[in-house]
Short mmCIF file of all heavy atoms in Angstrom, two decimals:
data_model
loop_
_atom_site.label_atom_id
_atom_site.label_comp_id
_atom_site.label_asym_id
_atom_site.label_seq_id
_atom_site.Cartn_x
_atom_site.Cartn_y
_atom_site.Cartn_z
N GLU E 44 7.69 16.84 -13.80
CA GLU E 44 7.50 15.47 -14.19
C GLU E 44 7.69 14.50 -12.99
O GLU E 44 7.96 13.32 -13.20
CB GLU E 44 8.45 15.14 -15.30
CG GLU E 44 8.29 15.93 -16.55
CD GLU E 44 9.18 15.53 -17.74
OE1 GLU E 44 9.92 14.70 -17.64
OE2 GLU E 44 8.81 16.01 -18.77
N CYS E 92 17.79 18.93 -23.90
CA CYS E 92 17.15 18.99 -25.20
C CYS E 92 15.60 19.33 -25.12
O CYS E 92 15.06 20.04 -25.95
CB CYS E 92 17.27 17.63 -25.98
SG CYS E 92 16.23 16.32 -25.18
N CYS E 93 15.02 18.83 -23.93
CA CYS E 93 13.57 18.62 -24.00
C CYS E 93 12.88 19.21 -22.71
O CYS E 93 11.98 18.53 -22.14
CB CYS E 93 13.24 17.09 -24.18
SG CYS E 93 14.19 16.47 -25.58
N ASN E 96 13.47 19.06 -17.02
CA ASN E 96 12.66 18.17 -16.31
C ASN E 96 13.40 17.47 -15.17
O ASN E 96 14.63 17.36 -15.19
CB ASN E 96 12.28 16.94 -17.15
CG ASN E 96 12.18 17.36 -18.63
OD1 ASN E 96 11.38 18.22 -18.94
ND2 ASN E 96 13.01 16.62 -19.54
N ARG E 98 12.32 13.84 -12.84
CA ARG E 98 11.16 12.84 -12.65
C ARG E 98 11.09 12.39 -11.20
O ARG E 98 10.22 11.46 -10.90
CB ARG E 98 11.33 11.68 -13.65
CG ARG E 98 11.38 12.12 -15.04
CD ARG E 98 11.24 11.17 -16.20
NE ARG E 98 11.22 11.96 -17.44
CZ ARG E 98 12.35 12.36 -18.14
NH1 ARG E 98 13.36 11.96 -17.70
NH2 ARG E 98 12.00 13.04 -19.11
N THR E 142 17.83 13.71 -15.96
CA THR E 142 16.44 14.01 -15.67
C THR E 142 15.67 13.02 -14.91
O THR E 142 14.46 13.18 -14.55
CB THR E 142 15.77 14.29 -17.02
OG1 THR E 142 15.84 13.20 -17.78
CG2 THR E 142 16.36 15.58 -17.71
N GLY E 157 21.41 12.20 -20.37
CA GLY E 157 20.86 12.51 -21.74
C GLY E 157 21.95 12.88 -22.77
O GLY E 157 23.10 12.81 -22.37
N GLY E 158 21.55 13.33 -23.89
CA GLY E 158 22.57 13.75 -24.89
C GLY E 158 22.28 13.18 -26.23
O GLY E 158 23.18 13.44 -27.19
N GLY E 159 21.27 12.45 -26.51
CA GLY E 159 20.94 11.89 -27.81
C GLY E 159 20.83 12.91 -28.88
O GLY E 159 21.01 12.65 -30.00
N GLU E 160 20.36 14.05 -28.44
CA GLU E 160 20.14 15.18 -29.48
C GLU E 160 21.57 15.99 -29.62
O GLU E 160 21.50 16.97 -30.53
CB GLU E 160 19.06 16.08 -29.05
CG GLU E 160 17.74 15.68 -29.49
CD GLU E 160 17.20 14.28 -29.05
OE1 GLU E 160 16.94 14.16 -27.86
OE2 GLU E 160 17.32 13.33 -29.86
N ALA E 206 21.70 7.34 -25.31
CA ALA E 206 21.69 8.00 -24.03
C ALA E 206 20.52 7.23 -23.15
O ALA E 206 19.38 7.19 -23.70
CB ALA E 206 21.45 9.41 -24.00
N TRP E 208 18.35 8.00 -20.81
CA TRP E 208 17.92 9.21 -19.97
C TRP E 208 16.67 8.96 -19.18
O TRP E 208 16.24 9.72 -18.42
CB TRP E 208 17.79 10.43 -20.90
CG TRP E 208 16.79 10.23 -22.14
CD1 TRP E 208 17.18 9.82 -23.36
CD2 TRP E 208 15.45 10.42 -22.08
NE1 TRP E 208 16.03 9.81 -24.16
CE2 TRP E 208 14.99 10.17 -23.41
CE3 TRP E 208 14.46 10.87 -21.14
CZ2 TRP E 208 13.65 10.27 -23.82
CZ3 TRP E 208 13.10 10.99 -21.49
CH2 TRP E 208 12.72 10.67 -22.88
N SER E 225 18.55 5.76 -25.99
CA SER E 225 17.83 6.72 -26.91
C SER E 225 18.22 6.39 -28.35
O SER E 225 18.91 5.45 -28.71
CB SER E 225 18.43 8.21 -26.54
OG SER E 225 19.65 8.38 -27.19
N ASN E 226 17.66 7.32 -29.22
CA ASN E 226 18.17 7.34 -30.65
C ASN E 226 19.73 7.43 -30.79
O ASN E 226 20.39 8.01 -29.90
CB ASN E 226 17.41 8.56 -31.28
CG ASN E 226 17.97 9.85 -30.61
OD1 ASN E 226 17.54 10.18 -29.55
ND2 ASN E 226 18.92 10.48 -31.33
N ASP E 278 13.71 6.91 -29.88
CA ASP E 278 14.43 6.41 -28.73
C ASP E 278 13.78 5.11 -28.17
O ASP E 278 12.53 4.96 -28.30
CB ASP E 278 14.28 7.47 -27.62
CG ASP E 278 14.79 8.89 -27.88
OD1 ASP E 278 14.60 9.34 -28.98
OD2 ASP E 278 15.60 9.24 -27.02
N ARG E 303 8.44 4.05 -28.70
CA ARG E 303 8.15 5.25 -29.59
C ARG E 303 7.85 4.88 -30.92
O ARG E 303 7.03 5.57 -31.64
CB ARG E 303 9.29 6.22 -29.46
CG ARG E 303 9.13 7.34 -28.50
CD ARG E 303 10.48 7.86 -28.11
NE ARG E 303 10.77 9.01 -28.94
CZ ARG E 303 11.47 10.14 -28.52
NH1 ARG E 303 11.74 10.22 -27.19
NH2 ARG E 303 11.83 11.08 -29.25
N ILE E 364 8.30 12.28 -31.82
CA ILE E 364 8.01 12.29 -30.42
C ILE E 364 7.52 10.86 -30.00
O ILE E 364 7.46 10.61 -28.72
CB ILE E 364 6.94 13.36 -29.96
CG1 ILE E 364 7.21 13.79 -28.49
CG2 ILE E 364 5.52 12.98 -30.19
CD1 ILE E 364 8.43 14.71 -28.27
N ASN E 368 5.56 8.71 -25.45
CA ASN E 368 6.88 9.24 -24.94
C ASN E 368 7.10 8.73 -23.54
O ASN E 368 6.67 7.59 -23.24
CB ASN E 368 6.86 10.77 -25.13
CG ASN E 368 8.23 11.31 -25.32
OD1 ASN E 368 8.98 11.51 -24.30
ND2 ASN E 368 8.65 11.68 -26.41
N TRP E 369 7.90 9.53 -22.81
CA TRP E 369 8.28 9.01 -21.45
C TRP E 369 7.22 8.89 -20.42
O TRP E 369 7.36 8.10 -19.42
CB TRP E 369 9.36 10.06 -20.74
CG TRP E 369 8.67 11.33 -20.49
CD1 TRP E 369 8.48 12.37 -21.28
CD2 TRP E 369 8.05 11.66 -19.24
NE1 TRP E 369 7.82 13.39 -20.69
CE2 TRP E 369 7.54 12.96 -19.45
CE3 TRP E 369 7.78 10.91 -18.06
CZ2 TRP E 369 6.76 13.55 -18.43
CZ3 TRP E 369 7.06 11.62 -17.07
CH2 TRP E 369 6.57 12.95 -17.19
N TYR E 444 0.31 14.43 -25.73
CA TYR E 444 1.08 14.49 -24.49
C TYR E 444 0.26 14.27 -23.21
O TYR E 444 0.35 15.01 -22.29
CB TYR E 444 1.81 15.84 -24.38
CG TYR E 444 3.32 15.70 -24.37
CD1 TYR E 444 4.05 14.81 -25.24
CD2 TYR E 444 4.08 16.27 -23.35
CE1 TYR E 444 5.37 14.62 -25.30
CE2 TYR E 444 5.52 16.06 -23.40
CZ TYR E 444 6.08 15.27 -24.30
OH TYR E 444 7.43 15.04 -24.27
N ILE E 510 9.12 21.63 -25.25
CA ILE E 510 8.83 20.60 -26.17
C ILE E 510 7.91 21.09 -27.40
O ILE E 510 8.16 20.72 -28.46
CB ILE E 510 7.98 19.49 -25.49
CG1 ILE E 510 8.88 18.62 -24.46
CG2 ILE E 510 7.22 18.61 -26.43
CD1 ILE E 510 9.71 17.64 -25.19
O1 LIG K 1 18.06 11.73 -26.07
C1 LIG K 1 18.06 12.43 -24.91
O2 LIG K 1 19.01 12.52 -24.25
C2 LIG K 1 16.76 12.87 -24.42
C3 LIG K 1 16.47 13.23 -23.14
C4 LIG K 1 15.19 13.62 -22.82
C5 LIG K 1 15.06 13.99 -21.31
O3 LIG K 1 16.08 13.81 -20.54
O4 LIG K 1 14.07 14.46 -20.82
C6 LIG K 1 14.13 13.61 -23.68
C7 LIG K 1 14.46 13.05 -25.03
N1 LIG K 1 15.72 12.69 -25.40
C8 LIG K 1 13.48 12.89 -26.07
O5 LIG K 1 13.81 12.51 -27.12
C9 LIG K 1 12.19 13.34 -25.83
O6 LIG K 1 11.28 13.14 -26.69
C10 LIG K 1 11.83 13.86 -24.55
C11 LIG K 1 10.59 14.29 -24.04
C12 LIG K 1 10.86 14.71 -22.77
C13 LIG K 1 9.91 15.29 -21.74
O7 LIG K 1 10.43 15.42 -20.62
O8 LIG K 1 8.78 15.64 -22.10
N2 LIG K 1 12.12 14.44 -22.48
C14 LIG K 1 12.78 13.96 -23.52
#
Side-chain angles (χ1 to χ4, degrees):
E44 300 189 352
C92 71
C93 311
N96 331 302
R98 302 192 177 88
T142 57
E160 270 63 74
W208 56 267
S225 81
N226 60 285
D278 297 46
R303 260 159 92 146
I364 207 74
N368 205 280
W369 67 271
Y444 241 51
I510 289 281

